[in-house]
Amino acid sequence: MIYIYRDHKLCETHSLLQAAGLAGWKHPVVSAVGAGGKTTLLRRLAREYADEGRGAVVTTTTHILKEDLPWFLTEPSENALKERLKQWGQAWIGIPGAKGRLGSVPESFFSIIEGMGVPVLIEADGARMLPLKCPGSKEPVIPGRTTHVLSVYGLDAVGQRMEEICFRPERAAKLLDKKITEPVAAEDIGRLAASEEAGRKGCPEDAVYTVVLNKADDSQRIEMAAEIGAFLEQQGVTRVIVTSFRRPERGT
């Protein structure tokens, strides 16, 4: 399920590429930051590119988990990259690190990827699988070549204590003027997403900034997302999409 917040309401679409404003771009460089489902989001984008026959390369400036899938490439080379794109329509690349994770490829290899003329999708932040994050002083790691920034938040954070579901809760609490023991409100997500010290931190001036409200898995969260979209619109953030990548439960 994918919605675009437009004309003061949520409008459903079936294409994440359309929702993220990527459909008309030949060679975008997309950096996903924040928390609450970045990898899942990049999986969906990569699959849509593959289904279109365009192909996409997924990599990281921080780290991603290595999966036992044939399109993962742990010894990056131009030939191996081309082979995976030809066979699978996507290639996930990185250098093996600790705990089954892949780290960033050398800067020189980024140039090779860009020279191939395919969309590049980058996981540019880490959040230890938590639904909410406020970045540290050296985060996120967004390449200057980025054309689109997707700032991701998990709606399942709302109602839970900040200290339990937020990565770097002390920073978030200071920014929001709250205690880390207080529950997260829907407006808190909007305030973080609109902030130059949080969601918009490190976003290149010319990049398209989009807020992604993920895990809208029931009607209550969808209504919550609409409220956040309205709040962000008032803050000048005009691109908001709402996603759920699981089948809604009955009665929701």
Side-chain angles (χ1 to χ4, degrees), residues 14-30:
H14 298 292
S15 168
L16 186 55
L17 290 176
Q18 290 283 351
L22 292 166
W25 287 70
K26 289 185 177 180
H27 315 307
V29 178
V30 182

Side-chain angles (χ1 to χ4, degrees), residues 4 48 78 83 91 125 140 146 165 210:
I4 306 172
E48 289 193 17
E78 186 172 1
E83 180 61 32
D125 209 356
T146 296
I165 49 76
T210 301

Side-chain angles (χ1 to χ4, degrees), residues 130-236:
L130 293 169
L132 199 63
K133 176 174 182 176
C134 193
S137 60
K138 297 181 180 180
E139 300 169 319
V141 188
I142 302 176
R145 56 174 66 85
T146 296
T147 60
H148 295 73
V149 171
L150 303 179
S151 188
V152 187
Y153 300 84
L155 291 169
D156 54 329
V158 176
Q160 300 194 61
R161 289 159 59 105
M162 190 180 301
E163 63 183 346
E164 296 175 348
I165 49 76
C166 183
F167 188 45
R168 306 199 190 284
E170 294 84 3
R171 287 179 175 269
K174 183 178 180 180
L175 184 61
L176 297 169
D177 194 23
K178 299 182 72 162
K179 298 177 181 179
I180 63 172
T181 54
E182 292 184 74
V184 173
E187 186 175 307
D188 293 335
I189 291 180
R191 291 172 65 190
L192 289 173
S195 174
E196 298 283 350
E197 299 178 56
R200 304 188 76 155
K201 186 172 182 281
C203 181
E205 185 176 349
D206 296 333
V208 178
Y209 179 72
T210 301
V211 174
V212 182
L213 304 174
N214 191 30
K215 302 183 184 177
D217 298 335
D218 56 38
S219 59
Q220 184 178 6
R221 289 186 189 174
I222 292 172
E223 291 176 8
M224 191 186 303
E227 294 174 5
I228 297 171
F231 174 84
L232 286 168
E233 189 175 43
Q234 293 174 355
Q235 305 303 310

Side-chain angles (χ1 to χ4, degrees), residues 51-165:
D51 289 345
E52 285 189 353
R54 296 179 60 186
V57 174
V58 185
T59 187
T60 181
T61 53
T62 55
H63 60 261
I64 53 177
L65 287 175
K66 181 186 180 301
E67 299 180 63
D68 188 22
L69 295 168
W71 45 84
F72 272 75
L73 178 61
T74 58
E75 296 181 3
S77 72
E78 186 172 1
N79 288 339
L81 182 58
K82 288 179 178 178
E83 180 61 32
R84 278 164 175 77
L85 286 172
K86 180 180 178 180
Q87 186 170 2
W88 303 105
Q90 59 181 296
W92 292 58
I93 64 172
I95 302 299
K99 298 180 180 180
R101 298 185 295 184
L102 299 179
S104 177
V105 297
E107 178 66 24
S108 59
F109 202 77
F110 267 103
S111 300
I112 292 175
I113 296 170
E114 288 188 312
M116 296 175 66
V118 296
V120 181
L121 312 176
I122 302 170
E123 187 154 328
D125 209 356
R128 297 181 183 172
M129 302 183 75
L130 293 169
L132 199 63
K133 176 174 182 176
C134 193
S137 60
K138 297 181 180 180
E139 300 169 319
V141 188
I142 302 176
R145 56 174 66 85
T146 296
T147 60
H148 295 73
V149 171
L150 303 179
S151 188
V152 187
Y153 300 84
L155 291 169
D156 54 329
V158 176
Q160 300 194 61
R161 289 159 59 105
M162 190 180 301
E163 63 183 346
E164 296 175 348
I165 49 76

